[in-house]
Amino acid sequence: MKVPDQQAWQAWTPEELSQRLKQVSRPWSVVGGWALDLWLGRQTRDHGDLEFTVLRDDFMLFRQALEPLQFYTVKDGTFAFLSADRVPGEEIFQVWGFDAVANVWRVEVMLEFGTADTWVYKRDTSLVYPRAEMVALSDSGVPYLKPAAILLFKAKHTRSKDQADFSLALPNLSGEERQWLVLHLKRLHPDHEWTRRLENAE
């Protein structure tokens, strides 16, 4: 099957996604830039996509809830159609959902480790916390990954939008959140420029 235009995004809002998942009782949370906006309580910039994370073993449950979207696995820039009877391989951590009627992408599903009670950082599985400490609910009831963890993910590449997100988030982080992020930046990204800014903000 031909892969749709990768630029053809018309993502749902987090609230639209939440409405579609209202019958799903398994854990999920919005991640990426939208998660920061849910935390801040307002949309601060345009978002080209909508990312949310689910436990790997729960993927088929969420896929069914999001029918009739078509799904494509993504690895190293290569897209592959994922038929309805197949689950993503262990090497896959990213799946895009395509609305064939509207001819646009709607969501990006990130497959995570952990359990219903435990959050595990994908890039270093020794970093483990209770899920209840890492996920919060927006005022509209949408679950999102808390800002310190979002910024830890963003620290790897620090694209221009990541820098902007960090600058906007920094004055709103609590002392505890700043300390958490400094701790893990020093461990995973030594000498990262954000560490100095976080420490100077204290």
Side-chain angles (χ1 to χ4, degrees), residues 14-83:
E15 289 76 17
E16 288 173 327
L17 174 64
S18 182
Q19 182 66 20
R20 287 170 168 82
L21 297 180
K22 63 182 179 180
Q23 301 301 325
V24 180
S25 59
R26 297 294 293 167
W28 65 277
S29 59
V30 172
V31 294
W34 262 120
L36 293 176
D37 280 359
L38 290 171
W39 166 62
L40 289 168
R42 67 186 191 279
Q43 184 172 348
T44 61
R45 63 174 173 84
D46 291 333
H47 298 280
D49 58 10
L50 172 62
E51 302 167 304
F52 76 104
T53 184
V54 306
L55 296 172
R56 177 176 293 277
D57 290 344
D58 291 341
F59 173 76
M60 294 300 284
L61 180 65
F62 283 88
R63 176 176 191 154
Q64 292 165 6
L66 295 176
E67 289 180 346
L69 291 188
Q70 298 174 354
F71 288 90
Y72 292 77
T73 62
V74 185
K75 181 174 174 56
D76 299 329
T78 299
F79 287 68
F81 178 70
L82 186 68
S83 60

Coordinates of all heavy atoms in Angstrom, one line a residue, residues 14-83:
P14 N -6.1 17.5 21.6 CA -6.2 16.5 22.7 C -7.6 16.2 23.2 O -7.9 15.0 23.5 CB -5.3 17.2 23.8 CG -4.4 18.1 23.0 CD -5.2 18.6 21.8
E15 N -8.4 17.2 23.2 CA -9.8 17.0 23.6 C -10.6 16.1 22.6 O -11.4 15.2 23.1 CB -10.5 18.3 23.8 CG -10.1 19.1 25.0 CD -8.7 19.8 24.7 OE1 -8.3 19.9 23.6 OE2 -8.1 20.2 25.7
E16 N -10.3 16.2 21.3 CA -11.0 15.3 20.4 C -10.5 13.9 20.5 O -11.3 13.0 20.4 CB -10.7 15.9 18.9 CG -11.4 17.1 18.6 CD -11.0 17.7 17.3 OE1 -9.8 17.6 16.9 OE2 -11.9 18.3 16.6
L17 N -9.2 13.7 20.8 CA -8.7 12.4 21.0 C -9.3 11.8 22.2 O -9.7 10.6 22.3 CB -7.1 12.5 21.1 CG -6.4 11.2 21.5 CD1 -6.6 10.1 20.5 CD2 -5.0 11.4 21.8
S18 N -9.3 12.6 23.3 CA -9.9 12.1 24.6 C -11.3 11.6 24.4 O -11.7 10.6 25.0 CB -9.8 13.2 25.6 OG -10.3 12.7 26.9
Q19 N -12.1 12.4 23.6 CA -13.5 12.0 23.4 C -13.5 10.6 22.7 O -14.4 9.8 23.0 CB -14.2 13.0 22.5 CG -15.6 12.8 22.2 CD -16.5 12.8 23.5 OE1 -16.1 13.4 24.5 NE2 -17.7 12.2 23.4
R20 N -12.6 10.4 21.7 CA -12.6 9.1 21.0 C -12.1 7.9 21.9 O -12.4 6.8 21.6 CB -11.7 9.2 19.8 CG -12.4 10.0 18.7 CD -11.4 10.4 17.5 NE -12.2 10.9 16.4 CZ -12.5 12.2 16.3 NH1 -12.2 13.0 17.3 NH2 -13.2 12.6 15.2
L21 N -11.4 8.3 23.0 CA -10.9 7.2 23.8 C -11.7 7.1 25.2 O -11.2 6.4 26.1 CB -9.4 7.5 24.1 CG -8.5 7.5 22.9 CD1 -7.0 7.8 23.4 CD2 -8.5 6.2 22.2
K22 N -12.8 7.7 25.2 CA -13.5 7.8 26.5 C -13.9 6.4 27.0 O -14.2 6.2 28.3 CB -14.7 8.7 26.4 CG -15.8 8.2 25.4 CD -16.9 9.3 25.4 CE -18.0 8.9 24.4 NZ -19.1 9.9 24.3
Q23 N -14.1 5.4 26.2 CA -14.5 4.1 26.6 C -13.2 3.2 27.0 O -13.4 2.1 27.4 CB -15.3 3.4 25.5 CG -16.6 4.1 25.1 CD -17.5 4.3 26.3 OE1 -17.6 3.5 27.2 NE2 -18.2 5.5 26.3
V24 N -12.0 3.7 26.8 CA -10.8 2.9 27.0 C -10.4 3.2 28.5 O -10.2 4.3 28.9 CB -9.7 3.3 26.1 CG1 -8.5 2.5 26.4 CG2 -10.1 3.1 24.6
S25 N -10.2 2.1 29.2 CA -9.9 2.3 30.7 C -8.4 2.1 30.9 O -7.9 2.3 32.0 CB -10.6 1.3 31.5 OG -10.4 0.0 31.1
R26 N -7.6 1.8 29.9 CA -6.2 1.6 30.1 C -5.4 2.9 30.0 O -5.9 3.9 29.5 CB -5.6 0.6 29.0 CG -6.2 -0.8 29.0 CD -5.8 -1.5 30.3 NE -4.4 -1.8 30.2 CZ -3.7 -2.2 31.3 NH1 -4.3 -2.3 32.5 NH2 -2.4 -2.4 31.2
P27 N -4.2 3.0 30.6 CA -3.5 4.2 30.7 C -3.0 4.7 29.3 O -2.6 4.0 28.4 CB -2.3 3.9 31.6 CG -2.1 2.5 31.5 CD -3.5 1.9 31.3
W28 N -3.1 6.1 29.1 CA -2.6 6.7 28.0 C -2.3 8.2 28.4 O -2.9 8.7 29.4 CB -3.5 6.7 26.8 CG -4.8 7.4 26.9 CD1 -6.0 6.9 27.5 CD2 -5.1 8.7 26.5 NE1 -7.0 7.9 27.5 CE2 -6.5 9.0 26.9 CE3 -4.4 9.7 25.8 CZ2 -7.1 10.2 26.6 CZ3 -5.0 10.9 25.6 CH2 -6.4 11.2 26.0
S29 N -1.5 8.9 27.6 CA -1.2 10.3 28.0 C -0.7 11.0 26.7 O 0.0 10.4 25.9 CB -0.3 10.4 29.1 OG 1.0 9.8 28.9
V30 N -1.1 12.3 26.6 CA -0.6 13.1 25.6 C 0.9 13.5 25.9 O 1.2 13.7 27.1 CB -1.4 14.4 25.5 CG1 -0.7 15.4 24.5 CG2 -2.8 14.1 25.0
V31 N 1.7 13.5 24.9 CA 3.2 13.8 25.1 C 3.5 14.9 24.1 O 2.7 15.4 23.3 CB 4.1 12.6 25.0 CG1 3.8 11.6 26.1 CG2 3.9 11.9 23.6
G32 N 4.8 15.3 24.0 CA 5.2 16.3 23.1 C 4.8 17.7 23.5 O 4.4 18.0 24.6
G33 N 4.8 18.6 22.5 CA 4.4 20.0 22.8 C 3.0 20.2 23.3 O 2.8 21.1 24.1
W34 N 2.1 19.4 22.8 CA 0.7 19.5 23.3 C 0.6 19.2 24.8 O -0.2 19.8 25.5 CB -0.2 18.5 22.6 CG -1.0 19.1 21.5 CD1 -0.9 18.8 20.2 CD2 -1.9 20.2 21.5 NE1 -1.8 19.5 19.4 CE2 -2.4 20.4 20.2 CE3 -2.4 21.0 22.6 CZ2 -3.4 21.4 19.9 CZ3 -3.3 22.0 22.3 CH2 -3.8 22.2 21.0
A35 N 1.5 18.3 25.4 CA 1.5 18.1 26.8 C 1.8 19.3 27.6 O 1.2 19.6 28.7 CB 2.4 16.9 27.1
L36 N 2.8 20.1 27.1 CA 3.2 21.3 27.8 C 2.0 22.3 27.8 O 1.7 23.0 28.8 CB 4.4 21.9 27.2 CG 5.7 21.1 27.3 CD1 6.8 21.8 26.6 CD2 6.1 20.9 28.8
D37 N 1.3 22.4 26.7 CA 0.2 23.3 26.6 C -1.0 22.9 27.5 O -1.7 23.7 28.1 CB -0.3 23.4 25.1 CG 0.6 24.3 24.3 OD1 1.5 24.9 24.9 OD2 0.3 24.5 23.1
L38 N -1.2 21.6 27.6 CA -2.2 21.1 28.6 C -1.8 21.5 30.0 O -2.7 21.8 30.8 CB -2.4 19.6 28.4 CG -3.1 19.1 27.1 CD1 -3.0 17.6 27.0 CD2 -4.5 19.6 27.0
W39 N -0.6 21.4 30.3 CA -0.1 21.7 31.6 C -0.2 23.2 31.9 O -0.7 23.7 32.9 CB 1.4 21.3 31.7 CG 2.2 21.9 32.9 CD1 1.9 21.7 34.2 CD2 3.3 22.7 32.8 NE1 2.9 22.4 34.9 CE2 3.7 23.0 34.1 CE3 4.1 23.2 31.7 CZ2 4.9 23.8 34.4 CZ3 5.2 24.0 32.0 CH2 5.6 24.3 33.3
L40 N 0.1 24.0 30.9 CA 0.0 25.5 31.0 C -1.5 26.0 31.0 O -1.8 27.1 31.4 CB 0.8 26.2 29.9 CG 2.3 26.1 30.0 CD1 3.0 26.5 28.7 CD2 2.8 26.9 31.2
G41 N -2.3 25.2 30.4 CA -3.7 25.5 30.3 C -4.1 26.4 29.1 O -5.2 27.0 29.1
R42 N -3.2 26.5 28.2 CA -3.5 27.3 27.0 C -2.6 26.8 25.8 O -1.5 26.2 26.1 CB -3.2 28.7 27.2 CG -1.8 29.1 27.4 CD -1.6 30.6 27.8 NE -0.2 31.0 27.8 CZ 0.7 30.8 28.7 NH1 0.3 30.1 29.8 NH2 1.9 31.2 28.6
Q43 N -3.1 27.0 24.6 CA -2.2 26.6 23.4 C -1.3 27.8 23.2 O -1.7 28.9 23.0 CB -3.1 26.4 22.2 CG -2.3 25.9 21.0 CD -3.1 25.4 19.8 OE1 -4.3 25.3 20.0 NE2 -2.5 25.2 18.7
T44 N 0.0 27.4 23.2 CA 1.1 28.5 23.0 C 1.7 28.6 21.6 O 2.3 29.5 21.3 CB 2.2 28.2 24.0 OG1 2.8 26.9 23.7 CG2 1.7 28.2 25.5
R45 N 1.4 27.5 20.8 CA 2.0 27.5 19.5 C 1.2 26.5 18.6 O 0.4 25.7 19.1 CB 3.5 27.2 19.4 CG 3.8 25.8 19.9 CD 5.3 25.5 19.7 NE 5.8 24.3 20.3 CZ 5.7 23.1 19.7 NH1 5.1 22.9 18.5 NH2 6.1 22.0 20.3
D46 N 1.4 26.6 17.3 CA 0.8 25.6 16.4 C 1.5 24.3 16.6 O 2.7 24.2 16.8 CB 0.9 26.1 15.0 CG 0.1 27.3 14.6 OD1 -1.0 27.4 15.3 OD2 0.4 28.0 13.7
H47 N 0.7 23.2 16.5 CA 1.3 21.9 16.6 C 1.0 21.1 15.3 O -0.2 21.0 14.9 CB 0.7 21.1 17.8 CG 0.9 21.8 19.1 ND1 2.1 21.6 19.8 CD2 0.2 22.6 19.9 CE1 2.1 22.3 20.9 NE2 0.9 23.0 21.0
G48 N 2.0 20.6 14.7 CA 1.9 19.9 13.5 C 1.3 18.6 13.6 O 0.8 18.0 12.6
D49 N 1.4 18.0 14.8 CA 0.8 16.6 15.0 C 0.3 16.5 16.4 O 0.2 17.5 17.1 CB 1.9 15.6 14.8 CG 3.1 15.8 15.7 OD1 3.1 16.6 16.6 OD2 4.2 15.1 15.5
L50 N -0.2 15.4 16.8 CA -0.6 15.1 18.1 C -0.1 13.7 18.5 O -0.4 12.7 17.9 CB -2.1 15.1 18.2 CG -2.7 14.6 19.6 CD1 -2.3 15.5 20.7 CD2 -4.3 14.5 19.5
E51 N 0.8 13.7 19.5 CA 1.4 12.5 20.0 C 0.8 12.0 21.3 O 0.6 12.9 22.2 CB 2.9 12.7 20.2 CG 3.7 13.2 19.0 CD 5.1 13.7 19.4 OE1 5.2 14.6 20.2 OE2 6.1 13.1 18.8
F52 N 0.5 10.7 21.4 CA 0.1 10.2 22.7 C 0.8 8.8 22.9 O 1.1 8.2 21.9 CB -1.4 10.2 22.9 CG -2.1 9.1 22.1 CD1 -2.6 8.0 22.8 CD2 -2.4 9.2 20.8 CE1 -3.3 7.0 22.1 CE2 -3.1 8.2 20.1 CZ -3.5 7.1 20.8
T53 N 0.9 8.5 24.1 CA 1.6 7.2 24.4 C 0.7 6.2 25.1 O -0.2 6.6 25.8 CB 2.9 7.5 25.3 OG1 3.6 6.3 25.6 CG2 2.4 8.1 26.7
V54 N 0.9 4.9 24.7 CA 0.2 3.8 25.3 C 1.2 2.7 25.6 O 2.3 2.7 25.1 CB -0.9 3.3 24.3 CG1 -1.8 4.4 23.9 CG2 -0.3 2.6 23.2
L55 N 0.8 1.8 26.5 CA 1.6 0.6 26.7 C 1.6 -0.3 25.5 O 0.5 -0.4 24.8 CB 1.0 -0.1 28.0 CG 1.1 0.6 29.3 CD1 0.4 -0.2 30.4 CD2 2.5 0.9 29.7
R56 N 2.7 -0.8 25.2 CA 2.8 -1.7 24.0 C 1.8 -2.7 23.9 O 1.1 -2.9 22.9 CB 4.2 -2.3 24.0 CG 4.5 -3.2 22.8 CD 5.9 -3.7 22.7 NE 6.8 -2.7 22.5 CZ 7.1 -2.2 21.2 NH1 6.5 -2.7 20.2 NH2 8.0 -1.3 21.1
D57 N 1.5 -3.4 25.0 CA 0.5 -4.5 25.0 C -0.9 -4.0 24.8 O -1.8 -4.9 24.6 CB 0.6 -5.3 26.3 CG 1.9 -6.1 26.4 OD1 2.6 -6.3 25.4 OD2 2.3 -6.6 27.5
D58 N -1.1 -2.7 25.0 CA -2.5 -2.2 24.8 C -2.7 -1.6 23.4 O -3.8 -1.1 23.2 CB -2.7 -1.1 25.9 CG -2.8 -1.6 27.3 OD1 -3.0 -2.8 27.5 OD2 -2.6 -0.8 28.2
F59 N -1.8 -1.7 22.5 CA -1.9 -1.0 21.3 C -3.2 -1.4 20.5 O -3.9 -0.6 20.0 CB -0.7 -1.3 20.4 CG -0.9 -0.8 19.0 CD1 -0.8 0.6 18.7 CD2 -1.2 -1.6 17.9 CE1 -1.0 1.1 17.4 CE2 -1.4 -1.1 16.6 CZ -1.3 0.2 16.4
M60 N -3.5 -2.7 20.5 CA -4.7 -3.2 19.7 C -6.0 -2.6 20.3 O -6.9 -2.3 19.5 CB -4.7 -4.7 19.6 CG -3.5 -5.3 18.8 SD -3.5 -4.8 17.1 CE -4.8 -5.7 16.4
L61 N -6.0 -2.5 21.6 CA -7.2 -1.9 22.2 C -7.4 -0.5 21.7 O -8.5 -0.1 21.4 CB -7.0 -2.0 23.7 CG -8.2 -1.4 24.6 CD1 -9.4 -2.3 24.4 CD2 -7.8 -1.4 26.0
F62 N -6.3 0.3 21.7 CA -6.5 1.7 21.3 C -6.7 1.8 19.8 O -7.5 2.6 19.3 CB -5.2 2.4 21.6 CG -5.1 2.8 23.1 CD1 -4.6 1.9 24.0 CD2 -5.7 4.0 23.5 CE1 -4.6 2.3 25.4 CE2 -5.6 4.4 24.9 CZ -5.1 3.5 25.8
R63 N -6.1 0.8 19.0 CA -6.4 0.8 17.6 C -7.9 0.6 17.3 O -8.4 1.3 16.5 CB -5.6 -0.3 16.9 CG -5.9 -0.4 15.4 CD -5.0 -1.4 14.7 NE -5.2 -1.3 13.3 CZ -4.3 -1.7 12.4 NH1 -3.1 -2.2 12.8 NH2 -4.5 -1.5 11.1
Q64 N -8.5 -0.3 18.0 CA -9.9 -0.6 17.8 C -10.7 0.7 18.2 O -11.7 1.0 17.5 CB -10.3 -1.8 18.7 CG -9.7 -3.1 18.2 CD -9.9 -4.2 19.2 OE1 -10.5 -4.0 20.2 NE2 -9.2 -5.3 18.9
A65 N -10.3 1.4 19.2 CA -11.1 2.6 19.7 C -11.0 3.7 18.6 O -11.8 4.6 18.6 CB -10.5 3.1 21.0
L66 N -9.9 3.7 17.8 CA -9.7 4.7 16.8 C -10.0 4.3 15.4 O -9.7 5.0 14.5 CB -8.2 5.2 16.9 CG -7.8 5.9 18.2 CD1 -6.3 6.2 18.2 CD2 -8.6 7.1 18.5
E67 N -10.7 3.2 15.3 CA -11.2 2.8 13.9 C -12.1 3.9 13.4 O -12.8 4.6 14.2 CB -12.0 1.5 14.0 CG -11.1 0.3 14.3 CD -11.9 -1.0 14.4 OE1 -13.2 -0.9 14.5 OE2 -11.3 -2.1 14.3
P68 N -12.1 4.2 12.1 CA -11.5 3.4 11.0 C -10.1 4.0 10.6 O -9.7 3.8 9.4 CB -12.5 3.6 9.9 CG -13.0 5.0 10.1 CD -13.0 5.3 11.6
L69 N -9.3 4.6 11.5 CA -8.0 5.0 11.1 C -7.2 3.9 10.6 O -7.3 2.7 11.0 CB -7.2 5.7 12.3 CG -7.7 7.0 12.8 CD1 -6.7 7.5 13.8 CD2 -7.9 8.0 11.7
Q70 N -6.3 4.1 9.6 CA -5.3 3.2 9.1 C -4.0 3.5 9.8 O -3.7 4.7 10.2 CB -5.1 3.3 7.6 CG -6.3 3.0 6.8 CD -6.1 3.3 5.3 OE1 -5.1 3.8 4.9 NE2 -7.1 3.0 4.5
F71 N -3.2 2.5 10.1 CA -2.0 2.7 10.9 C -0.7 2.3 10.1 O -0.8 1.3 9.4 CB -2.1 2.0 12.2 CG -3.0 2.6 13.2 CD1 -4.4 2.3 13.2 CD2 -2.6 3.6 14.0 CE1 -5.3 2.9 14.0 CE2 -3.5 4.3 14.9 CZ -4.8 3.9 14.9
Y72 N 0.3 3.1 10.3 CA 1.6 2.8 9.7 C 2.7 2.9 10.7 O 2.8 3.8 11.5 CB 1.9 3.9 8.6 CG 1.0 3.8 7.4 CD1 -0.3 4.3 7.4 CD2 1.4 3.3 6.2 CE1 -1.2 4.2 6.3 CE2 0.6 3.2 5.1 CZ -0.7 3.7 5.2 OH -1.5 3.6 4.1
T73 N 3.5 1.8 10.7 CA 4.7 1.9 11.6 C 5.7 2.8 11.1 O 5.8 3.0 9.9 CB 5.3 0.5 11.9 OG1 5.7 0.0 10.6 CG2 4.2 -0.5 12.4
V74 N 6.5 3.4 12.0 CA 7.6 4.3 11.6 C 8.9 3.9 12.3 O 8.9 3.8 13.5 CB 7.2 5.8 11.9 CG1 8.3 6.7 11.3 CG2 5.9 6.1 11.4
K75 N 9.9 3.7 11.5 CA 11.2 3.4 12.1 C 12.3 3.9 11.2 O 12.4 3.6 10.0 CB 11.4 1.9 12.3 CG 12.8 1.5 12.9 CD 12.9 0.1 13.2 CE 14.3 -0.3 13.7 NZ 14.7 0.5 14.9
D76 N 13.1 4.8 11.7 CA 14.3 5.4 11.0 C 13.8 6.0 9.7 O 14.4 5.9 8.6 CB 15.3 4.3 10.7 CG 15.9 3.7 12.0 OD1 16.0 4.4 13.0 OD2 16.3 2.5 11.9
G77 N 12.6 6.7 9.7 CA 12.1 7.4 8.6 C 11.4 6.5 7.6 O 10.9 7.0 6.6
T78 N 11.3 5.2 7.8 CA 10.6 4.3 6.9 C 9.2 3.9 7.4 O 9.1 3.6 8.6 CB 11.4 3.0 6.8 OG1 12.7 3.3 6.2 CG2 10.7 2.0 5.9
F79 N 8.2 4.1 6.6 CA 6.8 3.8 6.9 C 6.4 2.5 6.3 O 6.8 2.2 5.2 CB 5.9 4.9 6.4 CG 6.0 6.2 7.1 CD1 7.2 7.0 7.0 CD2 5.0 6.7 7.8 CE1 7.3 8.2 7.7 CE2 5.1 7.9 8.5 CZ 6.2 8.7 8.4
A80 N 5.6 1.8 7.1 CA 5.1 0.5 6.6 C 3.6 0.3 7.1 O 3.3 0.5 8.3 CB 5.9 -0.7 7.1
F81 N 2.7 0.0 6.2 CA 1.3 -0.2 6.5 C 1.2 -1.4 7.5 O 1.8 -2.4 7.4 CB 0.5 -0.6 5.3 CG -0.9 -0.8 5.5 CD1 -1.8 0.2 6.0 CD2 -1.4 -2.1 5.4 CE1 -3.1 -0.1 6.2 CE2 -2.8 -2.4 5.6 CZ -3.6 -1.4 6.1
L82 N 0.4 -1.2 8.5 CA 0.2 -2.2 9.6 C -1.2 -2.7 9.4 O -2.2 -2.0 9.8 CB 0.4 -1.6 11.0 CG 0.3 -2.5 12.2 CD1 1.5 -3.5 12.1 CD2 0.3 -1.8 13.5
S83 N -1.4 -3.9 8.9 CA -2.7 -4.5 8.7 C -3.4 -4.7 10.1 O -2.8 -4.7 11.1 CB -2.6 -5.8 8.0 OG -1.9 -6.7 8.7

